[in-house]
Amino acid sequence: MRIVLGITGGIAAYKAPQLVRLLVKAGHEVQCAATDHALQFVTRVSLETVSGRPLYNDLFSPANNRSTEHISLKDWGDALVVAPATANFIGKLANGIADDALSTLALAFCGKPIMICPAMNTQMWFAPPMQRNMGYLRSLPLLSVVGPEGGELACGTTGDGRMSEPETIAKAVEALFANPAMPLTGQRVLVTAGPTYERIDSVRFVGNYSSGNMGFALARSLAAHGAEVDLVSGPTHLDIDHPAVHLTRVESAREMYDVATALYPACQAAILSAAVADYRPEHTADHKLKKQSTDGLTLHMVQNPDILASLGASKRKGQTLIGFALETDNEEANASAKLQRKNLDYIVLNSLRDKGAGFGVDTNKVTIMGRDGSRLDSPLMSKQQVADLIVEHCLIHQQ
Ligand code: C5P
């Protein structure tokens, strides 16, 4: 595995080279990222020698491949381990402050496993602001904490605040990789996807251009974060092969309604991305309709059940309901009205103004509006990236 080892400015930083050696010996690649204060306690040369890689210390160093090195390192690493983690570093991470190379990298790392190994004086450790910050960090699904432990401290006192020994940290890293924290483990999520086909006769239907890409991408993202997924899809050529995704294929809106309403009570969340037909032909012929007159053909359509509104009406406390909206005018006002009317927690507004967004393409650009008035605008991204953003914003960060 690839580990980014963050080192901040506490006396325990002198143990960092030993931790690097243990991690390298266990077969990992290690990239060190140290703060300026850490380099008062341990040298660049030691860290570069034991890790075999140039140290990351300066956001704007000409030695960086690019000025976005913090993002490249986030993409490179499987986990960020910060040992020692000082009160200053913990305070910055807990409050989203990114004012140097390591704190910027750490913020970018949220969404991947982060392990922090606090080390400080006992009184600092038990100071109320510190404990408040730790309380918040411990609530983050992908963040784990190792130590601190009791014992003799560098300031001459004895108490809690010693960084765990490198051997203990190295073992915790192995456990982290053996058992990666999955933020949606234990959650069941319903997803609807694709179009619906409303039969006219035995060979014709009323349908739409939905590909199902968005819903399948959501199912993949949810499963990758540990959820069990009930995916209910209208007709599409897509397939999905993941043990945690249970796919039910349906054809019409009424079939989708029956399956989705039966599955919803056992789910903690539902994301309804299907392009469900609002109307269906009142009568379906069981044979192919013959061409009859030159006057044309009139189909009388009747309304389909609104699956999303129906789930909204039966939503219980603790369930999260997310719908999509595709609007051509007064987009935000209409989406926000739909959010209220259908009792949703979030609505994802597809932009129709942007080329590359919406139906039948692999990219999308969305605005996620929350019941609490929150709003998040995405850039044009792949549908998989949009799916990850929706899952992280609406389900993971809300836990
Ligand atoms: O009201 P409108 O059709 O614009 O709402 C779109 C949202 O409602 C989408 O999330 C879609 O999946 C869902 N929907 C539904 N059942 C319908 C119509 C729409 O679940 N019959």
Side-chain angles (χ1 to χ4, degrees):
M1 295 288 181
R2 293 166 161 181
I3 298 164
V4 180
L5 177 64
I7 303 140
T8 62
I11 177 67
Y14 82 89
K15 296 182 179 172
Q18 170 66 359
L19 177 57
V20 176
R21 290 200 63 229
L22 291 171
L23 294 173
V24 169
K25 218 165 146 191
H28 304 297
E29 286 178 76
V30 180
Q31 166 67 56
C32 293
T35 62
D36 288 342
H37 287 172
L39 295 180
Q40 298 287 329
F41 297 98
V42 60
T43 69
R44 172 186 288 272
V45 177
S46 311
L47 295 170
E48 293 189 341
T49 306
V50 284
S51 69
R53 302 175 70 94
L55 179 78
Y56 181 54
N57 162 251
D58 179 0
L59 269 171
F60 304 108
S61 162
N64 294 346
N65 290 336
R66 280 180 286 157
S67 61
T68 53
E69 189 82 348
H70 55 292
I71 305 296
S72 321
L73 278 181
K74 186 269 296 187
D75 292 339
W76 177 86
D78 296 304
L80 169 68
V81 177
V82 183
T86 55
N88 181 46
F89 173 79
I90 290 169
K92 289 199 288 187
L93 183 60
N95 291 283
I97 296 171
D99 64 354
D100 65 3
L102 179 58
S103 54
T104 306
L105 169 64
L107 207 57
F109 233 95
C110 287
K112 280 187 162 183
I114 300 179
M115 177 183 286
I116 58 173
C117 308
M120 67 199 73
N121 160 274
T122 310
Q123 268 168 7
M124 290 170 73
W125 173 244
F126 286 115
M130 179 70 217
Q131 289 303 314
R132 182 202 54 201
N133 288 338
M134 283 306 300
Y136 170 67
L137 290 177
R138 286 185 206 275
S139 76
L140 298 181
L142 288 173
L143 192 136
S144 54
V145 182
V146 176
E149 296 179 13
E152 261 179 46
L153 301 176
C155 51
T157 56
T158 304
D160 282 346
R162 268 176 79 89
M163 185 178 87
S164 296
E165 289 303 324
E167 288 76 10
T168 311
I169 299 171
K171 269 195 203 136
V173 170
E174 293 313 317
L176 177 77
F177 288 135
N179 242 332
M182 294 283 237
L184 296 180
T185 299
Q187 304 240 357
R188 194 163 197 104
V189 184
L190 169 69
V191 178
T192 67
T196 64
Y197 286 1
E198 310 298 326
R199 282 188 187 209
I200 300 170
D201 64 16
S202 57
V203 294
R204 303 183 182 95
F205 60 84
V206 180
N208 62 65
Y209 291 119
S210 168
S211 61
N213 278 334
M214 196 61 233
F216 277 65
L218 282 163
R220 265 191 299 277
S221 177
L222 289 161
H225 287 96
E228 288 288 315
V229 185
D230 286 315
L231 174 61
V232 185
S233 174
T236 158
H237 296 298
L238 300 176
D239 212 342
I240 193 157
D241 184 20
H242 192 293
V245 181
H246 315 284
L247 171 63
T248 308
R249 294 189 189 273
V250 296
E251 188 178 289
S252 67
R254 280 190 300 176
E255 284 170 19
M256 188 175 275
Y257 174 86
D258 288 344
V259 178
T261 51
L263 291 169
Y264 185 53
C267 294
Q268 282 72 43
I271 311 180
L272 271 56
S273 68
V276 185
D278 291 325
Y279 297 94
R280 66 178 183 276
E282 184 174 19
H283 301 291
T284 302
D286 53 12
H287 56 278
K288 183 180 170 206
L289 290 175
K290 287 245 173 296
K291 202 179 335 181
Q292 278 169 342
S293 76
T294 50
D295 289 349
L297 170 75
T298 304
L299 280 178
H300 185 249
M301 309 281 278
V302 293
Q303 202 166 13
N304 271 327
D306 188 318
I307 307 167
L308 186 58
S310 159
L311 299 193
S314 71
K315 187 171 72 167
R316 36 162 232 274
K317 202 166 176 281
Q319 279 182 316
T320 305
L321 186 57
I322 303 162
F324 277 71
L326 192 70
E327 304 287 342
T328 47
D329 44 41
N330 276 338
E331 297 163 306
E332 291 186 19
N334 285 338
S336 154
K338 200 172 291 177
L339 178 92
Q340 301 298 336
R341 195 170 64 243
K342 300 197 188 189
N343 193 22
L344 312 182
D345 299 285
Y346 294 94
I347 193 149
V348 182
L349 177 60
N350 278 295
S351 163
L352 269 184
R353 296 213 183 114
D354 296 271
K355 242 178 119 205
F359 268 173
V361 286
D362 287 333
T363 47
N364 208 357
K365 183 172 178 195
V366 299
T367 300
I368 307 175
M369 297 164 69
R371 193 183 188 76
D372 54 0
S374 63
R375 178 202 163 107
L376 182 71
D377 292 291
S378 83
L380 188 68
M381 305 196 277
S382 73
K383 284 193 173 162
Q384 192 59 60
Q385 285 173 314
V386 173
D388 292 343
L389 183 74
I390 294 169
V391 169
E392 275 164 28
H393 180 72
C394 306
L395 297 180
I396 296 177
H397 289 162
Q398 300 312 316
Q399 284 182 343

